[in-house]
Amino acid sequence: MSQILIVEDEDRIASFIEKGLRSAGFTSERAATGRDGYHLAMTGDFDLVILDLGLPDEDGLDVLERLRGSGNDLPVIILTARTSIDDTVRSLEGGADDYLGKPFRFEELIARVRLRLRREAPTADSMVLSQGGVELDLRSRQASVDGVEVDLSAREFALAEAFLSNPGRALSREQLLSRVWGYDFDPGSNVVDVYVRYLRGKLGAERIETVRGVGYRFVANRRQA
């Protein structure tokens, strides 16, 4: 299981990233300052760093420079509200592996995390999720049910990915909202129910079970009537 270091001083965003990474099968640790982030990154305990630029004690670019200057080649994804061309170029030229602006959607962040980790340790199997006759190719973004390709929108695919990554586990509407729609979601929205209905129509209603008072669960081994 890959361990991700989150260097982010905004607690709401850091908590959102941490929760989303956990639901995607990663473990993580947080640092709220550049100093702490640098020292943790140098321990060798992590597989990737998600790094903010606007840290309270120093600029994230300085943290990146120190990491690369010390010979640390840990994959680094910059995640920041600073989205100017100058900041992007400086980050990439300074050794960042990727750059993502805020606000962001979690499915895009997790795709970039997986891409960078795959380049470090490529495994074809890790890019295909298969449960109960449903298969998702995370590389091509294609889906199939019992060997027949089905057309999923980007949101439907992200929702299906959340379910197939957690077979048999009850996922709350809040978890699904934060994972698929991002940290600016409206907790009163019924968008999850709407998209679950869409997904049931394409994957089979029997595969997504309603868990009363909680949310939904993907049932991989349920037989059709």
Side-chain angles (χ1 to χ4, degrees):
M1 181 180 295
S2 297
Q3 171 90 334
I4 312 298
L5 175 60
I6 306 164
V7 186
E8 168 65 63
D9 64 313
E10 290 190 46
D11 184 68
R12 182 174 69 99
I13 295 176
S15 296
F16 164 69
I17 297 171
E18 192 170 40
K19 182 169 63 175
L21 288 171
R22 190 184 312 117
S23 70
F26 299 103
T27 59
S28 63
E29 189 168 338
R30 292 161 54 176
T33 67
R35 177 184 175 85
D36 289 346
Y38 172 79
H39 288 301
L40 283 170
M42 293 299 293
T43 63
D45 294 336
F46 298 92
D47 300 291
L48 182 142
V49 179
I50 297 174
L51 176 64
D52 184 24
L53 295 185
L55 298 170
D57 58 336
E58 62 180 311
D59 194 289
L61 286 172
D62 295 330
V63 178
L64 177 63
E65 182 180 359
R66 285 199 288 146
L67 282 174
R68 296 309 187 226
S70 65
N72 190 312
D73 61 356
L74 199 62
V76 174
I77 297 177
I78 300 295
L79 183 65
T80 180
R82 287 159 43 183
T83 56
S84 71
I85 294 297
D86 182 59
D87 283 321
T88 305
V89 170
R90 287 178 61 203
S91 297
L92 296 175
E93 289 185 345
D97 296 271
D98 210 339
Y99 194 102
L100 184 62
K102 299 174 184 174
F104 64 97
R105 297 300 181 188
F106 186 75
E107 68 267 25
E108 181 177 3
L109 175 61
I110 200 66
R112 292 177 187 236
V113 167
R114 284 178 171 144
L115 174 64
R116 299 304 157 188
L117 291 174
R118 187 171 76 247
R119 288 182 178 178
E120 292 301 303
T123 55
D125 289 345
S126 67
M127 297 307 295
V128 176
L129 294 176
S130 182
Q131 297 287 344
V134 178
E135 185 171 289
L136 301 179
D137 189 319
L138 304 182
R139 183 184 294 106
S140 66
R141 313 301 286 178
Q142 292 181 321
S144 64
V145 177
D146 296 328
V148 178
E149 187 172 334
V150 295
D151 183 28
L152 299 183
S153 70
R155 295 286 190 211
E156 290 168 346
F157 192 96
L159 187 58
E161 183 180 347
F163 282 129
L164 266 70
S165 297
N166 299 276
R169 177 184 171 191
L171 299 175
S172 69
R173 288 173 176 82
E174 182 183 72
Q175 286 176 306
L176 294 169
L177 275 167
S178 64
R179 168 117 184 226
V180 178
W181 281 268
Y183 65 86
D184 284 328
F185 64 83
D186 175 5
S189 171
N190 70 338
V191 67
V192 169
D193 305 290
V194 171
Y195 272 81
V196 164
R197 186 167 69 249
Y198 294 160
L199 207 55
R200 280 171 166 164
K202 295 182 178 182
L203 303 186
E206 74 286 347
R207 289 186 168 96
I208 302 175
E209 177 181 84
T210 299
V211 181
R212 190 176 299 277
V214 180
Y216 298 98
R217 173 169 51 215
F218 185 84
V219 184
N221 59 355
R222 174 157 294 181
R223 295 179 178 274
Q224 297 188 34

